[in-house]
């Protein structure tokens, strides 16, 4: 069974269509009108071995906030839908990723309980034209819509681009681990509660 989902979101601020496959080959086709997000989502797909297609049109003449936030909403919804009932998955994932001088860590629990912790201080408020505060917005909406615990820690670094790139690579690798099917579980939910 292929674990995938397609999401569409149309508002007065953005129009987004997104296709997401968990068990992919790291392929992406991205057109978001936010070049930095195209770059980060490409890294995310490649390092998680996910297939991801995003077509997004938004009010970028104002700024990148709405488009970035709404892509996070759509990706979270797609992840949740693609996981189905979560039987047999590992559930937890943890990844450290060094990016030159920066070290990022992402820890996830696909628990059906949304929570977000973000411990990162970026030296710059912008990377190119992209407002770095939008990284927090994207990740928070992703965690909320996927209904997962998401902890993001940048242990150190001084180049903002490197720090954010490390986050997206670590996010991909942590989610790849958490979504893997564990043959030892044999289709059982990974919870003593009997549900997630």
């Amino acid at each position: 069974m292929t674990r995938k989902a397609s999401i569409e979101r149309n508002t007065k601020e953005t129009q987004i269509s997104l296709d997401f496959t968990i068990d992919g080959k790291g392929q992406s086709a991205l057109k978001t009108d936010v070049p930095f997000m195209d770059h980060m989502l490409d890294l995310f797909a490649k390092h998680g071995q996910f297939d991801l297609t995003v077509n997004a049109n938004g009010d970028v003449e104002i700024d990148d906030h709405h488009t970035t936030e709404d892509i996070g909403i759509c990706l979270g919804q797609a992840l949740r839908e693609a996981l189905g009932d979560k039987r047999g998955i590992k559930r937890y994932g943890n990844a450290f990723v060094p990016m030159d001088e920066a070290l990022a860590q992402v820890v996830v629990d696909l628990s059906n309980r949304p929570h977000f912790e973000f411990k990162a201080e970026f030296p710059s408020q912008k990377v190119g034209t992209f407002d770095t505060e939008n990284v927090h917005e994207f990740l928070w909406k992703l965690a909320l819509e996927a209904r997962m615990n998401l902890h993001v820690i940048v242990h150190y670094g001084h180049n903002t681009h490197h720090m954010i790139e490390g986050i997206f690579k670590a996010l991909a690798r942590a989610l790849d681990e958490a979504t893997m099917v564990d043959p030892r579980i044999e289709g059982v939910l990974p919870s003593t509660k009997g549900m997630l």
Side-chain angles (χ1 to χ4, degrees), residues 93-113:
N94 177 40
F96 286 88
V97 169
M99 181 65 203
D100 293 351
E101 87 297 341
L103 180 63
Q105 180 184 14
V106 173
V107 185
V108 301
D109 175 10
L110 299 173
S111 61
N112 206 35
R113 294 190 311 276

Side-chain angles (χ1 to χ4, degrees), residues 139-157:
L139 294 169
W140 164 227
K141 295 312 185 302
L142 172 67
L144 185 65
E145 295 295 335
R147 297 192 58 81
M148 67 176 169
N149 271 219
L150 174 58
H151 293 246
V152 175
I153 306 156
V154 177
H155 292 279
Y156 44 80

